[in-house]
Amino acid sequence: MAYGPTPLVSIITLHYNQLQATQEFLESSRFLTYPNYEIIVCDMHSDYNPEREIINRNYQNLRFYRSLDNLGFAGGNNWGLKKALGEFILFINNDTILSAGLIENLIQPMLNDPLIAGVSPKIRYSDEPSVIQYAGFTRMNMITGRAFTIGEGEEDNGQHAVSGPTWAVHGCAMFVRRTAIERVGMFAENFFLYYEEWDWSARVLRQGLRLWYAADALVYHKESASVGKVNPLKIYYHTRNRILFMRRNASNTQFFLFLLFFSIISFPKSAIFLLIKGRFRELQLFIKAMLWNLGNSSISPVFAA
């Protein structure tokens, strides 16, 4: 598909009870140098409607929508996507600060290579702006259901300055080609929160498309501002969706080996740790996450071999 010199980019961000974070994100958008973009703020049924505070600041090309329900990360971004007009979509957390040349550096790999479906920038921590959070992902281990974030926690001394393919884009900042979404589908909404970008990335790669880490694109992230640095919600959704991801994306043999690993190593290790630490609420949610998968056993896999 041929694009013009500056195709329209839709920036979609979700808002939920974090007006200051959203406003700081939008303030950083004032410095974007790319000339053709729109911003779509999707409120996920916050405790109060922040529309007036956001609209009154006169951000460029901004549209605000308020959902009647909290649709989660996957559902909220799908909802926003239906309102977007761009040929390229930037799904980005509201707890981020944008660099001025971000869009140019994200779009260029896609203009160079039509097989690239998604690009993520280098992500650094906003409170430690020289420390890396993301410089690509390793391949998902289909026995453990885990992958590693390249560069995480490292001082950025240029060691991850070369762009290249990655095994998954990062949910904090995902730049996606609309035609790729039309080909592989939107986010699977039964994930609600966490692992949905891994599920989407796995579907992309199975279609023979590519994912890219753009080292010269930069975002600063206020890590986990949306749910807190220590929050039982993470325990629940990380555990629930780790299992769900494997159910949807592992082969039969891989899933059998994953169940052995989870039953013999992962579950006992986590349960004993939480028990010893007296973190009984988190232990309860950890068990609840496993039971959710048993109670939703009819969810169909997207890959089986």
Side-chain angles (χ1 to χ4, degrees), residues 224-255:
S224 299
S226 57
V227 292
K229 289 186 180 296
V230 178
N231 194 309
L233 191 65
K234 284 186 175 182
I235 291 282
Y236 174 73
Y237 279 110
H238 268 295
T239 304
R240 194 197 85 163
N241 292 344
R242 176 186 177 190
I243 300 171
L244 177 58
F245 172 84
M246 295 299 292
R247 288 172 57 195
R248 284 173 52 88
N249 293 282
S251 68
N252 293 334
T253 301
Q254 288 170 337
F255 188 63

Side-chain angles (χ1 to χ4, degrees), residues 11-78:
I11 301 172
I12 298 175
T13 193
L14 305 184
H15 171 87
Y16 182 70
N17 291 336
Q18 290 182 320
L19 181 58
Q20 181 177 346
T22 298
Q23 288 178 332
E24 290 173 357
F25 162 80
L26 292 172
E27 286 299 321
S28 74
S29 75
R30 294 189 192 274
F31 300 97
L32 290 171
T33 54
Y34 189 80
N36 192 20
Y37 67 88
E38 61 176 0
I39 301 176
I40 300 171
V41 176
C42 300
D43 178 73
M44 293 292 100
H45 199 67
S46 296
D47 294 338
Y48 77 100
N49 188 345
E51 181 174 8
R52 178 176 298 178
E53 289 93 330
I54 291 174
I55 295 298
N56 285 351
R57 290 185 177 234
N58 297 316
Y59 298 109
Q60 180 177 339
N61 303 325
L62 182 141
R63 287 185 281 142
F64 178 92
Y65 298 97
R66 179 170 167 85
S67 173
L68 297 178
D69 300 290
N70 184 349
L71 304 175
F73 180 89
N77 279 307
N78 287 346

Side-chain angles (χ1 to χ4, degrees), residues 95-109:
D95 59 345
T96 57
I97 301 297
L98 310 178
S99 59
L102 175 66
I103 296 179
E104 290 94 333
N105 291 324
L106 289 173
I107 202 170
Q108 195 57 53

